[in-house]
């Protein structure tokens, strides 16, 4: 029904805007994307844009939150085999490469990254506590940050190179490096 929030027409318009945003993100950084450019790409008028979103950042946030919902469903799966657990998440990342690259650039405030990492944090800290004979929580967080940044760089490099390798292969690299490697010292 017209005027009803989340009706099919409104949902179609939001999909058009999200697709337009992803198309433009492939060409330019988020900061350079204007409402006018989004409207041209989505073939809608400015008034329609403002009916749905306050600005391009709000539209991008909606895209990120959609990804968070999708990732959250995957994160809740059993984690007996970490590489198998991570593979569908990386598949989703590859399918949403433009948005994921922006999210990775803004890691500290990323709900997507937090949705993936929070379940891994405790398991990782337990392993680091044993590997490095460390009990100081601050030091354990440094280890986690080290491995986290390595995983982020692997994913970033993978996306920038066209994500040619299978998500399962990238998951295996990340898991081997972060969870199964023997400590250096």
């Amino acid at each position: 029904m017209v005027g009803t929030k989340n009706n099919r027409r409104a949902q179609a318009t939001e999909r058009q805007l999200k697709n337009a945003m992803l198309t433009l993100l492939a060409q330019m950084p988020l900061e350079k994307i204007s409402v006018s450019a989004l409207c041209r790409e989505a073939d809608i008028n400015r008034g329609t844009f403002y009916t749905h979103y306050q600005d391009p950042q709000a539209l991008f946030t909606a895209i990120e939150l959609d990804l968070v919902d999708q990732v959250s469903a995957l994160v809740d799966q059993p984690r007996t085999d970490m590489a198998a657990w991570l593979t569908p998440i990386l598949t989703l990342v590859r399918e949403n490469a433009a948005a994921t690259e922006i999210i990775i650039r803004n890691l500290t405030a990323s709900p997507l990254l937090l949705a993936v990492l929070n379940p891994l944090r405790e398991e990782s800290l337990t392993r680091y506590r044993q590997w490095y004979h460390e009990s100081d929580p601050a030091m354990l967080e440094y280890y986690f940050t080290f491995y986290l940044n390595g995983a982020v760089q692997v994913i970033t490099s993978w996306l920038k190179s066209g994500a040619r390798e299978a998500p399962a292969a990238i998951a295996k690299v990340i898991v081997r490096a972060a969870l199964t490697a023997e400590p250096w010292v």
Side-chain angles (χ1 to χ4, degrees):
M1 194 189 303
V2 176
T4 304
K5 190 169 175 63
N6 293 328
N7 69 38
R8 281 184 289 193
R9 189 179 310 168
Q11 290 172 350
T13 300
E14 288 178 5
R15 265 193 313 277
Q16 281 176 264
L17 285 166
K18 288 173 182 177
N19 289 337
M21 173 62 86
L22 294 173
T23 298
L24 293 173
L25 282 172
Q27 303 165 19
M28 65 185 81
L30 178 60
E31 309 79 51
K32 301 272 187 193
I33 297 175
S34 67
V35 171
S36 296
L38 283 164
C39 291
R40 266 192 310 278
E41 186 66 36
D43 195 26
I44 64 164
N45 66 48
R46 290 175 69 85
T48 301
F49 176 88
Y50 287 114
T51 298
H52 296 275
Y53 301 102
Q54 180 179 347
D55 55 28
Q57 180 61 53
L59 171 55
F60 182 77
T61 299
I63 292 169
E64 184 176 26
L65 292 176
D66 286 348
L67 280 172
V68 167
D69 289 343
Q70 292 174 58
V71 165
S72 292
L74 298 172
V75 165
D76 291 339
Q77 300 301 312
R79 290 187 299 276
T80 52
D81 177 347
M82 292 302 281
W85 174 83
L86 189 55
T87 298
I89 294 169
L90 290 174
T91 300
L92 185 63
V93 163
R94 179 168 63 178
E95 291 168 356
N96 296 278
T100 302
E101 286 188 60
I102 297 289
I103 293 165
I104 286 173
R105 278 189 244 140
N106 300 293
L107 288 181
T108 56
S110 171
L112 177 65
L113 190 64
L114 293 174
V116 173
L117 293 180
N118 282 336
L120 297 178
R121 180 177 301 279
E122 272 314 305
E123 183 175 340
S124 298
L125 294 178
T126 298
R127 288 176 191 246
Y128 304 154
R129 195 174 289 114
Q130 294 167 355
W131 286 355
Y132 302 112
H133 308 288
E134 183 63 65
S135 59
D136 181 353
M139 297 306 290
L140 290 168
E141 281 297 321
Y142 288 129
Y143 286 114
F144 185 74
T145 299
F146 175 82
Y147 285 108
L148 164 66
N149 285 320
V152 167
Q153 288 304 312
V154 166
I155 294 168
T156 302
S157 296
W158 176 58
L159 292 174
K160 285 183 179 177
S161 70
R164 291 183 300 269
E165 296 82 3
I170 301 306
K172 189 174 180 181
V173 167
I174 292 169
V175 170
R176 278 186 173 170
L179 296 178
T180 59
E182 290 295 318
W184 299 339
V185 183

